[in-house]
């Protein structure tokens, strides 16, 4: 593996910052400063230090992306959410934890931690996802009650969801614990109002970072990762 890629792998340095740190001689491999960003290293066998401190190779990476409209939640070629990570963030095995529709914006967790993603996405874990929506026409009292009591969507009945409409009923937030295809749009439509804009603002314990412009991402902090893991494990298996 390339040294700059390794140094950038745990989120502490971008790829560019890693290359710069290497050129400045801040990185030593088996005690020897190495100034070539493309030097080949083996994270399992080589002893690597940054400014004399042992470098901890991250087993997994976790990014919070503010997904813009126009990108698909897949790993294939093209305008995918993975392409938004650019050369700095890319690492083999990264995938979006769940899907947002092409026109939906907001918080998408991108990771290569399959076991955690499995927990977070399991419908039996009831991890809450919260969305901001705008809709037309205004959602009615009856529509709100339908969403709060569980909407029959034909192929399945959505679980009761928490909805907080704005005063004019043309926008609001809705929190669901499932992740079926077009779920929020279908719930609102069934309740008599079409979604005109949708943005995920929370995923379990993770709130969308307001500092992230659409298309921007950042690594999760250790505290955010632990909280997410604790929440997914604590939700336990319910029916
Ligand atoms: N519900 C939807 O309808 N679309 C999304 O992208 C996410 C939830």
């Amino acid at each position: 593996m390339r040294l700059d890629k390794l140094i950038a792998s745990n989120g502490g340095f971008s790829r560019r910052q890693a290359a710069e740190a290497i050129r400045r001689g801040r990185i030593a491999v088996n005690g020897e400063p190495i100034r070539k960003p493309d030097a080949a290293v083996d994270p399992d066998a080589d002893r690597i230090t940054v400014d004399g401190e042992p470098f901890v190779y991250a087993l997994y990476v976790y990014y919070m992306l503010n997904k813009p409209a126009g990108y698909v939640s897949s790993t294939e070629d093209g305008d995918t959410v993975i392409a938004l990570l650019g050369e700095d963030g890319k690492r083999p095995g990264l995938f979006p934890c769940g899907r947002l529709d092409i026109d939906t914006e907001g918080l998408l967790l991108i990771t290569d931690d399959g076991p955690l993603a499995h927990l977070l996405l399991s419908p039996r874990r009831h991890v809450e996802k919260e969305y901001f929506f705008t809709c037309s026409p205004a959602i009615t009292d009856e529509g709100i009650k339908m969403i709060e009591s569980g909407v029959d969507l034909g192929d399945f009945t959505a679980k009761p969801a928490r909805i907080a409409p704005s005063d004019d009923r043309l926008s609001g937030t809705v929190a669901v614990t499932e992740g079926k295809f077009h779920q929020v749009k279908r719930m609102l439509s069934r309740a008599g109002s079409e979604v005109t804009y949708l943005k995920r603002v929370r995923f379990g314990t993770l709130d969308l970072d307001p500092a992230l412009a659409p298309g921007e991402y950042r690594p999760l902090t250790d505290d955010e990762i632990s909280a997410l893991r604790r929440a997914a494990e604590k939700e336990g298996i319910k029916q």
Side-chain angles (χ1 to χ4, degrees):
M1 178 175 200
R2 283 176 62 122
L3 182 57
D4 56 352
K5 204 162 186 178
L6 176 76
I7 296 298
S9 66
N10 67 3
F13 290 88
S14 72
R15 190 82 171 263
R16 237 162 275 126
Q17 289 167 337
E20 185 56 25
I22 293 164
R23 283 196 202 92
R24 286 169 182 255
R26 293 173 56 195
I27 317 297
V29 179
N30 302 321
E32 287 294 315
I34 299 289
R35 291 176 187 265
K36 283 174 61 190
D38 64 351
V41 287
D42 177 348
D44 295 325
D46 292 320
R47 197 166 38 80
I48 295 158
T49 55
V50 178
D51 299 329
E53 297 294 323
F55 175 79
V56 182
Y57 179 60
L59 185 55
Y60 296 122
V61 291
Y62 307 84
Y63 295 125
M64 177 193 300
L65 169 74
N66 184 358
K67 178 192 173 295
Y71 287 81
V72 288
S73 299
S74 85
T75 54
E76 303 301 314
D77 292 340
D79 288 338
T80 70
V81 290
I82 299 297
L84 285 167
L85 302 178
E87 280 312 305
D88 276 355
K90 269 195 206 145
R91 175 167 157 153
L94 284 175
F95 59 89
C97 178
R99 282 169 188 270
L100 293 177
D101 297 337
I102 190 162
D103 56 348
T104 301
E105 300 182 2
L107 200 170
L108 192 59
L109 173 66
I110 295 183
T111 184
D112 50 1
D113 183 346
L116 179 63
H118 182 74
L119 278 184
L120 290 168
L121 296 176
S122 163
R124 299 165 78 200
R125 294 273 166 182
H126 298 245
V127 172
E128 219 176 43
K129 289 107 183 122
E130 186 171 341
Y131 297 85
F132 169 79
F133 64 86
T134 63
C135 62
S136 179
I139 188 155
T140 59
D141 284 348
E142 197 190 335
I144 290 167
K145 275 196 207 106
M146 279 176 82
I147 287 175
E148 286 175 338
S149 52
V151 194
D152 181 358
L153 294 173
D155 51 337
F156 85 107
T157 300
K159 294 216 162 63
R162 292 191 302 116
I163 179 162
S166 59
D167 289 346
D168 63 7
R169 305 290 179 89
L170 288 167
S171 64
T173 58
V174 60
V176 298
T177 54
E178 300 148 302
K180 295 269 184 356
F181 190 55
H182 295 333
Q183 179 157 347
V184 171
K185 291 173 185 166
R186 291 177 66 200
M187 283 164 61
L188 266 95
S189 181
R190 186 72 189 82
S193 183
E194 299 303 321
V195 168
T196 50
Y197 172 80
L198 193 62
K199 175 178 184 173
R200 183 151 69 191
V201 293
R202 185 169 58 82
F203 184 68
T205 52
L206 264 190
D207 288 314
L208 178 62
D209 185 336
L212 291 177
E216 289 184 347
Y217 69 95
R218 67 159 172 83
L220 296 192
T221 64
D222 289 345
D223 286 350
E224 286 172 331
I225 299 165
S226 312
L228 204 54
R229 188 182 300 286
R230 271 199 310 275
E233 284 166 356
K234 194 176 79 196
E235 286 301 320
I237 308 277
K238 303 176 205 160
Q239 280 306 326

